[in-house]
Amino acid sequence: MPILVMKFGGTSVATLDKIKRAAKRVGREVANGYDVIVVVSAMSGETNKLVGYVNETSPMYDAREYDAVVSSGENVTAGLMALTLQEMDVPARSWQGWQVPLKTNSAHGAARIEEIPPENILAKFGEGMKVAVVAGFQGISPEGRITTLGRGGSDTTAVAFAAAFEAERCDIYTDVDGVYTTDPRIESKARKLEKVAFEEMLELASLGAKVLQTRSVELAMRYGVRLRVLSSFEEYDPNAGTLICAEEDIVENKPVSGIAASREEAKMTLVSVADRPGIAAAIFGPLAEAGVNVDMIIQNISEEGRTDMTFSCPVDQVNRAKAALDAAKDRGAFNFGELISDTEVAKISLVGIGMRSQSGVAAKMFKVLSDEGINIKVIATSEIKISVLIDRKYTELAVQALHDAFELNVA
C-alpha cells in the first residue's frame, strides 16, 4: 500500500471533538487505499503548561527530565487518536518515539534526528494495522533517554517520517488553509498560493511566516518530500491547501511569490571600529557564542582606518548582544566608539524564485517604498529574496503597497 503521512498540530487536536474530526480525515485516507502514519502534537496549550510545571519545580532543571515531562503531552494525544480510530473500526495503535524508534542525538531540548528505522511500523502494517499514530516532537538518545526536538518539532517529525518511509506526500494540518502571499491580517487581499517552491517556503519560514517550522522545510527540500499545508477546520477537498514542492513542479513563476514581515527586529551599529583583517570575526564570533541570531550585516566605507558595522537581530536578543560586545571590548578583542541600537524597526522581505530570471525587482521595491515616504535603513539580498529594514510603524503600509505593486492578489 502507498504510505501517506498526516500531521495534526495542537489546535487541530485541542479537544476530543477536534480529535474525532481529525480521525475522520484519517479514516477517509485509509478508505482511499493508504497506510497512514499520523503525527500528532500535544493538545493546544498543554506543552506550555508542562513547561510551566518544570520551571516552577526546578528553575535550573535537568534537561533530561525536562524532556521526560514535556514530551508527555504528545503521548496523551497519540493514545486518544488511536482509541478514536479504533472506535471507528480503523485498525490503529499509538507509537511513542522510543517505540519506533526515532533515534536522535543527545542534545536534550533541541535534539536532531539521526535515524528512523522503518521495520517495526512496516511489520505492523503487514499484520493489518492501517494507521500508526506517532507522538511528534520526541525521540530517544543513544543513552536510552527521551529527547525532544524543540518547539514546533512535530512538523520535523512528520517530514522525517515521510522521508524514511518514502511516503507519497506529507500533509500538515493546521489552523490556516495554506500559504498566503502575505499575512492576511495585514493585507486583506492576500491570496492563497496553490504551489510554493521549497526554497521560497524556506525563506518565508525563516523570515517570520509561522506556517511551517524552518527545520521541517529544510528536511523536506533535502529529501524531496512533497508537503501540503491545509486546514483541519474546512470541509474535505482533495485539492485544498498549498503544495510545497520542487521548483520544476511549478510551471510559471511571477518574480515575487510572497511578502514576509517581521516586527520583532532590531538594528545595532558599532560606531568607529578598526578597519582591519579579522575585525568581522572578532565582532561576530562573540555574538555567535552568545546565541545571538545575526541577520543583515552592513559595513560602511572606511575613513582614516575606522568604519561602522551595522547588523540586525531579534529585538529580544539586544541585551544579550550588548553584553557580548561589551565583554569582548573589555578583554581587548576590539574597540569601538559607541554601540547604537534601534529597537523600533521591522524587516520586510520579497521572496520569489522568479527573481532569478527577471530583473528590476529591487528597483521597483525601492521606488514603491519611496513613493509612500518610507525610508530604508538596511538592505540585504540573496538570489530569491530582497529584505529591507524600515521603521516599524510603516509595516502595514509597506506590505500593502508592495502587495499591490507586484499584483500578488492576481494568480
Side-chain angles (χ1 to χ4, degrees), residues 249-282:
D249 293 335
I250 300 175
V251 178
E252 190 172 335
N253 301 310
K254 285 189 170 187
V256 176
S257 297
I259 302 173
S262 174
R263 292 182 175 88
E264 306 303 316
E265 301 290 328
K267 179 171 75 79
M268 305 191 72
T269 301
L270 285 167
V271 179
S272 187
V273 296
D275 186 9
R276 59 172 173 80
I279 189 63

Side-chain angles (χ1 to χ4, degrees), residues 26-91:
V26 176
R28 187 179 290 113
E29 298 297 356
V30 171
N32 288 338
Y34 288 102
D35 286 337
V36 182
I37 297 173
V38 176
V39 176
V40 292
S41 298
M43 299 168 81
S44 184
E46 189 66 21
T47 302
N48 287 338
K49 183 173 74 174
L50 294 170
V51 170
Y53 287 158
V54 171
N55 288 327
E56 187 175 341
T57 302
S58 177
M60 302 298 289
Y61 55 76
D62 180 340
R64 295 166 296 185
E65 302 304 338
Y66 169 94
D67 279 356
V69 174
V70 301
S71 64
S72 64
E74 279 73 14
N75 297 342
V76 172
T77 311
L80 292 172
M81 176 67 80
L83 287 170
T84 303
L85 287 164
Q86 289 172 10
E87 286 295 306
M88 297 165 49
D89 294 324
V90 177

Side-chain angles (χ1 to χ4, degrees), residues 296-335:
M296 310 161 92
I297 302 172
I298 303 292
Q299 183 174 348
N300 289 349
I301 296 173
S302 176
E303 185 175 343
E304 297 180 357
R306 311 294 291 183
T307 187
D308 298 341
M309 189 79 76
T310 297
F311 64 91
S312 68
C313 68
V315 70
D316 61 359
Q317 296 180 7
V318 167
N319 290 335
R320 193 187 308 173
K322 286 181 177 178
L325 293 170
D326 286 338
K329 180 180 180 180
D330 290 343
R331 64 175 179 264
F334 60 90
N335 196 11

